[in-house]
Amino acid sequence: MKRYRLKASELEGLTFQQTEYVVISRSHLTTSVHEVYVSRTVVAGRIVPMYLYNERDVERKAWEHHGSPEAFDAYLDTLRNRYIAKHGNALLFPQPRSYEPAEGAVYVVRFAPGPSSATDYDPHVGRSPKLLRIKQQMPSWLWEACNRVLDRDDDFSIGDGIGPGLYTRDRDREGPMATALRLAKTYPPRPAGRLPSSPAIDSLRAILDEAPRMPKDHGWGEDVEGMEMTHHAWPDEDYTYEWNSSYLDRLFTALIEVIRMHGVGDDGWRSARWEVYDKYSECVNGLSYERREDRWFDSAGHWLDGQYSVGGRDISFSISSRSKSSVGKQYNEMLPFRTPRDVPSVGLL
C-alpha cells in the first residue's frame, strides 16, 4: 500500500482477505507482487492481523486518487526525481514491483493511444503497449475469455502456495495473449446478436437451458449426473466429461430442426451454433492454456466447426460430441463445409 502512496482509508470498498502473520522481527509489512499488505510497524513474536488486497484493485484506486493513470505516473516521476537527488542510485526507489522491468531498472512505460482515465482502464492491458495492440486486434469476447483463463490459473497458483500469480504482471501475459491472437484466426465471425424467436430456435434454447453442468466442487474421477466420464491412462492419467448420449440426441435433433427451418446461413445454423458453443463452454469445458507448451486449446470449438469427414485418417468426427450420439452423424452430414485439416480447426493451433 505504501508503494502506491495510499492510506488505509483510501482502500475502503475494496474486497480483501483477512489472515494472521507471526512476526519474526520488528519490521514493516509491505507490498508483494500479487497482493498488497496493509503496512504498519509490529513487534517481534506477536501474531498480528494481515489484510490482503488484489494489487490491480489497489493500483486502480491510486489512479482514481490522482485522476488518471498518467497523473499517477507523473506523481511517481516527481517522487523518483526527488529520491534520486537525495539518495543517488545506490538505493532503489520504492515503487510497485510491476512498474519495474525484468532487468531491475526503474522506469514507467508510456504509450498511446491508451486509457485516458481510471474508469476506462483495462487491468488486463495494464501499462503494456503489446497487450493493448493485441486487444485492439482480437474479438472482444475472445479477449475476455482468454484473460478469464489466465486469471483462473493465477488463482490456482496463488491458492496452492506456489508463489505470485503466473500472469499477475503485464509482461507475464504478453506471451500467452500473443499466442491467443493467432488462435483468434481459427474462429468464425461471432454474430452481433441472438437470433429472433421461432419454434425451432425456442426448442433449441429450452434444451440448452436443461444442459447438465459440471459442479464446481466435484472430485477427481467422480461420476456427474447427466455426464459420461472417460478415463484416460495416456499420456497422463486423467478423466474427461461429456454430455451423455440421451441429452446429445435431443440437442442434435433440435439443431437439425433449426437447419431444416432456417438453413445453414446467418439466419440459422451459423448463428445458432454459437449458443451451443457458449453453453458447452459454461457447463462442460472450454478454453484452456498449457503454459509449458505455450498452447491454447478450446474443448468447445468443435461446436463451431463445419462438416467432418467420417472414417479414414480424419479423427475430428471421432473426438467430437457428434460421435457420442446416434443423431450426431446425421447432423454432421447436414453441415455446409468440411474442416480443412485432419484435426478440429476451430480453437486449436
Side-chain angles (χ1 to χ4, degrees), residues 169-213:
R169 295 175 296 187
D170 302 339
R171 62 174 176 266
D172 295 331
R173 288 190 181 236
E174 291 176 351
M177 293 307 295
T179 304
L181 184 59
R182 293 192 289 115
L183 183 82
K185 298 177 182 179
T186 70
Y187 289 88
R190 190 180 185 105
R194 283 170 35 115
L195 289 170
S197 174
S198 75
I201 296 298
D202 292 346
S203 176
L204 173 64
R205 288 171 178 162
I207 292 172
L208 290 175
D209 286 342
E210 301 172 7
R213 180 184 299 269

Side-chain angles (χ1 to χ4, degrees), residues 154-328:
D154 252 2
D155 292 340
F156 284 153
S157 65
I158 295 171
D160 290 342
I162 298 175
L166 298 173
Y167 311 107
T168 300
R169 295 175 296 187
D170 302 339
R171 62 174 176 266
D172 295 331
R173 288 190 181 236
E174 291 176 351
M177 293 307 295
T179 304
L181 184 59
R182 293 192 289 115
L183 183 82
K185 298 177 182 179
T186 70
Y187 289 88
R190 190 180 185 105
R194 283 170 35 115
L195 289 170
S197 174
S198 75
I201 296 298
D202 292 346
S203 176
L204 173 64
R205 288 171 178 162
I207 292 172
L208 290 175
D209 286 342
E210 301 172 7
R213 180 184 299 269
M214 290 293 295
K216 293 182 179 180
D217 57 351
H218 78 284
W220 193 64
E222 289 183 355
D223 290 329
V224 177
E225 184 178 359
M227 299 280 186
E228 291 184 358
M229 180 180 65
T230 302
H231 175 248
H232 306 272
W234 185 90
D236 298 306
E237 187 175 14
D238 197 8
Y239 295 88
T240 57
Y241 294 83
E242 172 64 275
W243 284 327
N244 63 28
S245 57
S246 61
Y247 179 77
L248 286 173
D249 285 347
R250 296 172 58 212
L251 179 57
F252 284 125
T253 299
L255 284 166
I256 288 172
E257 187 63 18
V258 169
I259 293 174
R260 286 175 174 165
M261 298 302 298
H262 301 287
V264 295
D266 293 340
D267 295 331
W269 172 78
R270 288 185 191 272
S271 295
R273 61 180 170 171
W274 281 96
E275 297 190 35
V276 184
Y277 168 84
D278 288 340
K279 183 62 69 172
Y280 191 90
S281 298
E282 174 189 342
C283 294
V284 186
N285 202 2
L287 273 168
S288 61
Y289 178 68
E290 174 53 55
R291 185 168 180 255
R292 288 176 296 179
E293 300 178 6
D294 186 26
R295 177 177 177 266
W296 288 89
F297 179 70
D298 192 344
S299 297
H302 62 273
W303 288 103
L304 301 175
D305 239 332
Q307 185 181 139
Y308 295 136
S309 59
V310 179
R313 296 177 58 191
D314 192 342
I315 64 171
S316 303
F317 178 83
S318 64
I319 64 175
S320 72
S321 300
R322 303 170 201 180
S323 68
K324 310 300 189 296
S325 162
S326 60
V327 190

Side-chain angles (χ1 to χ4, degrees), residues 2 10 16 27 34 38 40 43 49 56-57 65 69 125 138 160-161 169 174 280 293 311 314 322 324:
K2 295 183 82 173
E10 293 171 317
F16 62 88
S27 63
H34 61 280
V38 172
R40 62 191 182 89
V43 179
R56 291 186 182 275
D57 292 341
H65 177 74
V125 171
M138 183 180 289
D160 290 342
R169 295 175 296 187
E174 291 176 351
Y280 191 90
E293 300 178 6
D314 192 342
R322 303 170 201 180
K324 310 300 189 296

